[in-house]
Amino acid sequence: LLEDTTSPQNKAYNWILNNDAYLSLLYPFKTAADNTTSTPTEENEKALTQRYILTLLFFETNEFNTWDVCADLNTNDDVDECENVEEDDTRRFLSQTSECDWYGITCDVDGSIVSIDLSDNGLRNTIPPEIGQLSSLQHLILRKNRLSSTLPTTIGLLANLEILNLNNNRIEGPMPTEIGSMTKLQILDVGKNDMDGPMPPEMFTSSNLEYLDLSGNDFVGPLPTEMFTSTINLVFVDLTGNPIGGSIPTELKYLTQLASLEMGSADLTGTLPGEIFQTTDIVTSNRVTSMLETLSLEGNSLNGSLPEELFNVATSLRILDLGINDFTGELSENAGNLLQLEQLLLWYNNFDGSIPSTLGSLTLLEIMSLDNNQFNGTMPPEVCNLVTFASNSGGGDAGSLIFLASDCKDDDEEDNMPFVECSCCHSCQ
């Protein structure tokens, strides 16, 4: 690649060799006095290597002069000013300053690069495999760009990486199994890309992993067993929009720290198992309090009635989204136990029976969508007492419920009788 004059590697090498005045400070090949060769220090070697890799990253991702800020003035004539500094040009990539001063780069006290954050900056093409040589790197954040192709397998060499955020790009292909070498990883976010294939067990190697976002890709199931045995400290899991298929694994109960589980539009079938709310320490088998605050399973093919454990155990829930499924049966009176609930979305199911008055106990509720079901009877006054309308001004305390929808629209074919009589609904279907 170095011999290919069109390659980013060649361009980076030639820039370092022919245009980088800072190089003489890093790597003094010859002394000025007698033209003899000097020996570079280990620190100089490290600085030269990481300077080359950053230069390569720039040439690779700025092939069409798409960087938005802090690009080299010689390649991006109309680039925006380099932000948040008094002397903009000193922060630009390929400037004649330390690479630790370049935009989005953070180094430790030893001058090793520990963070690269070039979010939302117009980066294109691929992540060069040479990035795996940045052995001290802890944060790699390239979200909201237009990076494409596959992840280089050399990314597994980043053994100190704690944050990998590539959300909202065009990265494709499978997750490299080499990711299993990143045992310090805490945040893995590759949501909104074009990745596919099975989720490798190696992805769940790090016991430090807390945040996992794979949403908006084409990963297929089943979920690896290692997810429930190794990454048991997961707090946030978003698998929305992946064709995972199959049923919801009961082993989710072992994720005792889980606060948010989002698996919408994931081709899930079967029932909602009550076991997942009975969080259990996998080592001691002791039951622990559920930490779950968000459960989103919208847009699947889940069926059956809702388990009582949902209402009696998962009492920390703030968002419950079960819309667009095939759930049936009556809504339990124990739904009133979810006192922290702010959003209750049950639309487009086959629930029937009356709407429980205990929902009036949910004084923090802001959105409740019960429409496109088979509910009947009258909206309980306890629920109507929660409703607030934008037209209300003064005259008592306003309720928390800013949107309430149910099947309360008159239907001529039903003798002008609504499914649910509701005088306080914002929307009638």
Side-chain angles (χ1 to χ4, degrees):
L1 289 175
L2 283 178
E3 296 178 356
D4 181 357
T5 57
T6 64
S7 72
Q9 286 80 1
N10 179 276
K11 293 176 182 178
Y13 175 78
N14 276 292
W15 182 84
I16 290 283
L17 195 61
N18 301 317
N19 301 99
D20 190 6
Y22 193 73
L23 178 64
S24 61
L25 300 177
L26 290 177
Y27 211 119
F29 292 100
K30 297 183 179 184
T31 62
D34 55 11
N35 204 33
T36 58
T37 303
S38 62
T39 302
T41 64
E42 183 178 344
E43 290 75 15
N44 291 109
E45 291 276 12
K46 177 187 68 177
L48 177 62
T49 298
Q50 65 183 25
R51 193 171 180 85
Y52 166 75
I53 294 172
L54 288 183
T55 304
L56 170 58
L57 177 65
F58 174 75
F59 279 112
E60 177 67 57
T61 60
N62 191 47
E63 180 180 1
F64 303 104
N65 297 343
T66 55
W67 273 39
D68 293 326
V69 297
C70 291
D72 173 34
L73 285 174
N74 293 322
T75 57
N76 288 42
D77 293 335
D78 58 349
V79 73
D80 291 345
E81 289 188 358
C82 201
E83 57 188 27
N84 298 327
V85 290
E86 294 180 1
E87 298 179 4
D88 292 339
D89 290 348
T90 65
R91 291 293 304 277
R92 294 188 184 280
F93 264 61
L94 310 194
S95 63
Q96 303 301 313
T97 57
S98 168
E99 67 279 359
C100 293
D101 295 330
W102 292 357
Y103 174 75
I105 306 302
T106 303
C107 294
D108 61 16
V109 292
D110 296 322
S112 298
I113 296 175
V114 293
S115 177
I116 299 176
D117 186 348
L118 296 172
S119 301
D120 196 12
N121 202 32
L123 279 66
R124 288 177 178 262
N125 290 345
T126 66
I127 300 173
E130 289 85 351
I131 203 164
Q133 297 179 44
L134 299 178
S135 58
S136 297
L137 195 63
Q138 298 174 14
H139 301 166
L140 180 57
I141 306 173
L142 304 175
R143 57 179 291 276
K144 204 173 181 181
N145 283 292
R146 284 167 283 183
L147 296 168
S148 57
S149 191
T150 59
L151 282 181
T153 58
T154 54
I155 203 164
L157 297 174
L158 301 175
N160 288 304
L161 203 67
E162 298 174 354
I163 299 175
L164 178 59
N165 190 338
L166 305 175
N167 189 288
N168 202 351
N169 279 282
R170 300 171 184 175
I171 298 169
E172 58 190 34
M175 178 69 71
T177 58
E178 288 79 3
I179 197 171
S181 300
M182 300 159 62
T183 57
K184 296 183 180 180
L185 201 61
Q186 298 175 16
I187 296 176
L188 175 58
D189 188 347
V190 293
K192 298 180 182 178
N193 278 284
D194 298 313
M195 302 184 73
D196 56 24
M199 289 170 272
E202 291 83 357
M203 188 162 55
F204 302 96
T205 300
S206 174
S207 60
N208 297 302
L209 192 64
E210 297 180 357
Y211 185 104
L212 177 66
D213 187 351
L214 306 179
S215 63
N217 284 283
D218 288 304
F219 291 112
V220 298
L223 300 179
T225 302
E226 288 77 4
M227 179 177 182
F228 315 113
T229 58
S230 298
T231 54
I232 57 175
N233 292 311
L234 279 166
V235 175
F236 178 95
V237 175
D238 190 351
L239 306 176
T240 302
N242 289 281
I244 295 171
S247 58
I248 298 174
T250 58
E251 292 84 357
L252 283 166
K253 68 181 180 180
Y254 295 125
L255 304 183
T256 58
Q257 304 301 310
L258 193 62
S260 179
L261 176 62
E262 301 183 33
M263 297 179 68
S265 302
D267 294 344
L268 298 175
T269 58
T271 62
L272 177 60
E275 294 95 321
I276 69 171
F277 305 108
Q278 297 176 327
T279 47
T280 304
D281 188 302
I282 194 172
V283 177
T284 65
S285 297
N286 292 332
R287 289 276 303 278
V288 296
T289 303
S290 172
M291 307 289 287
L292 198 62
E293 296 183 1
T294 298
L295 177 62
S296 177
L297 300 172
E298 182 182 276
N300 286 291
S301 298
L302 298 170
N303 55 53
S305 59
L306 300 183
E308 285 299 312
E309 292 89 343
L310 170 62
F311 308 113
N312 294 330
V313 179
T315 53
S316 295
L317 276 172
R318 295 181 180 274
I319 299 175
L320 178 59
D321 185 355
L322 303 176
I324 316 179
N325 278 285
D326 297 315
F327 288 115
T328 57
E330 297 186 5
L331 185 58
S332 172
E333 292 282 341
N334 289 327
N337 292 336
L338 304 181
L339 298 177
Q340 304 302 313
L341 206 61
E342 298 172 3
Q343 297 182 28
L344 176 61
L345 307 174
L346 303 179
W347 63 322
Y348 280 97
N349 279 284
N350 291 297
F351 293 112
D352 56 26
S354 60
I355 297 171
S357 60
T358 53
L359 292 178
S361 301
L362 309 183
T363 56
L364 299 179
L365 201 61
E366 298 177 355
I367 298 174
M368 181 160 65
S369 182
L370 307 175
D371 54 290
N372 289 283
N373 280 284
Q374 302 297 321
F375 288 119
N376 56 53
T378 302
M379 185 66 68
E382 293 87 349
V383 174
C384 286
N385 288 339
L386 300 177
V387 173
T388 180
F389 287 91
S391 58
N392 286 353
S393 58
D397 296 331
S400 63
L401 195 56
I402 60 176
F403 182 80
L404 173 62
S406 71
D407 295 313
C408 49
K409 186 175 182 180
D410 287 344
D411 190 333
D412 291 336
E413 295 182 2
E414 297 292 335
D415 300 323
N416 290 324
M417 293 295 292
F419 288 110
V420 177
E421 293 183 15
C422 184
S423 61
C424 60
C425 286
H426 300 89
S427 176
C428 289
Q429 300 298 319

